[in-house]
Amino acid sequence: DTAVSQTPKYLVTQMGNDKSIKCEQNLGHDTMYWYKQDSKKFLKIMFSYNNKELIINETVPNRFSPKSPDKAHLNLHINSLELGDSAVYFCASSQGQGPNEKLFFGSGTQLSVL
Amino acid sequence: AQSVTQLGSHVSVSEGALVLLRCNYSSSVPPYLFWYVQYPNQGLQLLLKYTTGATLVKGINGFEAEFKKSETSFHLTKPSAHMSDAAEYFCAVRGHAGGTSYGKLTFGQGTILTVHP
């Protein structure tokens, strides 16, 4: 079973549409993340949730809204999609703190906005 | 603020040759340092990490990295490359308790490793 799974794997859509990416982890972790990997391959953190509470919110347009219905799920909803939103989005989860924290990543969702 | 620079977006080696992937970081506090590997169509997997203690860290698949504070470097090496090592490698830094970057991983831009027969 996949530890961190995200769907869909590929998402192609038109500018102005609203779309969602779902993420689920079956590791029992308390903390989940969304990262964005741009065309230059830079991975940047977007959000982090711990036990369904937002703990990290980087400078991300408010068109991006994460939702955590329970600690095993962290979905990412994007409104009014723009060309610049095209990227690979990675979900991740972790347990523990400090030196013992280890992130587990999903396989990514490639979003293409046309 | 913390940042990571990986020197060389592409590295090509022959099978059996030494692998050296370079990573330099900047951080206002002593950071935790990581190397992740990404195989095609997969998520990132942790190769190794440095938190405290011994500066030479051994990871999976024969990789190791040495933390050199004076050089602010955390280069990844493997004595003998294997075809299965072909992947993209990411260096990352994370702050820990006391820093403003606690809990956030900052990644480099990645280095694609190609291994020739």
Side-chain angles (χ1 to χ4, degrees):
Chain A
D1 287 340
T2 304
V4 181
S5 60
Q6 43 184 120
T7 56
K9 191 171 180 63
Y10 300 96
L11 182 56
V12 181
T13 188
Q14 300 286 333
M15 281 177 54
N17 285 349
D18 303 337
K19 290 293 179 184
S20 292
I21 307 172
K22 296 184 176 181
C23 179
E24 176 181 4
Q25 54 95 3
N26 61 7
L27 298 167
H29 290 170
D30 290 334
T31 308
M32 295 185 72
Y33 308 80
W34 276 108
Y35 280 83
K36 178 182 180 181
Q37 186 178 42
D38 62 23
S39 58
K40 295 182 178 180
K41 292 301 186 76
F42 276 106
L43 264 162
K44 294 182 181 178
I45 190 168
M46 301 173 68
F47 302 103
S48 173
Y49 269 71
N50 182 271
N51 275 320
K52 303 193 296 176
E53 289 191 22
L54 182 65
I55 57 172
I56 294 175
N57 184 355
E58 291 297 285
T59 307
V60 176
N62 57 16
R63 298 182 293 105
F64 290 79
S65 53
K67 286 184 172 53
S68 183
D70 54 64
K71 73 174 190 177
H73 295 84
L74 181 61
N75 304 322
L76 183 64
H77 189 75
I78 315 170
N79 288 328
S80 303
L81 278 156
E82 300 177 358
L83 292 177
D85 297 332
S86 296
V88 181
Y89 292 84
F90 287 95
C91 178
S93 71
S94 71
Q95 188 70 8
Q97 295 181 8
N100 296 321
E101 183 181 13
K102 181 179 177 181
L103 265 67
F104 290 79
F105 284 84
S107 56
T109 295
Q110 185 169 329
L111 171 64
S112 299
V113 182
L114 306 177
Chain B
Q2 56 194 21
S3 66
V4 178
T5 301
Q6 292 182 237
L7 299 176
S9 58
H10 288 82
V11 170
S12 181
V13 301
S14 299
E15 193 173 17
L18 171 71
V19 176
L20 171 60
L21 305 182
R22 300 178 186 273
C23 172
N24 288 87
Y25 70 92
S26 68
S27 177
S28 57
V29 296
Y32 296 146
L33 295 159
F34 305 81
W35 275 99
Y36 282 83
V37 60
Q38 184 179 21
Y39 298 102
N41 300 314
Q42 295 185 29
L44 282 75
Q45 302 172 36
L46 182 65
L47 264 182
L48 48 78
K49 67 178 180 181
Y50 169 79
T51 56
T52 58
T55 56
L56 182 62
V57 180
K58 295 186 184 299
I60 61 173
N61 301 336
F63 284 92
E64 60 183 36
E66 186 171 12
F67 168 56
K68 291 187 177 181
K69 185 178 179 180
S70 62
E71 299 177 7
T72 60
S73 69
F74 191 56
H75 301 331
L76 181 71
T77 61
K78 181 173 180 178
S80 177
H82 192 272
M83 297 294 288
S84 60
D85 294 327
E88 188 158 15
Y89 293 79
F90 292 88
C91 182
V93 61
R94 195 185 87 212
H96 52 91
T100 58
S101 302
Y102 175 67
K104 297 191 301 185
L105 272 176
T106 299
F107 286 87
Q109 76 275 28
T111 299
I112 296 174
L113 175 66
T114 303
V115 181
H116 297 290

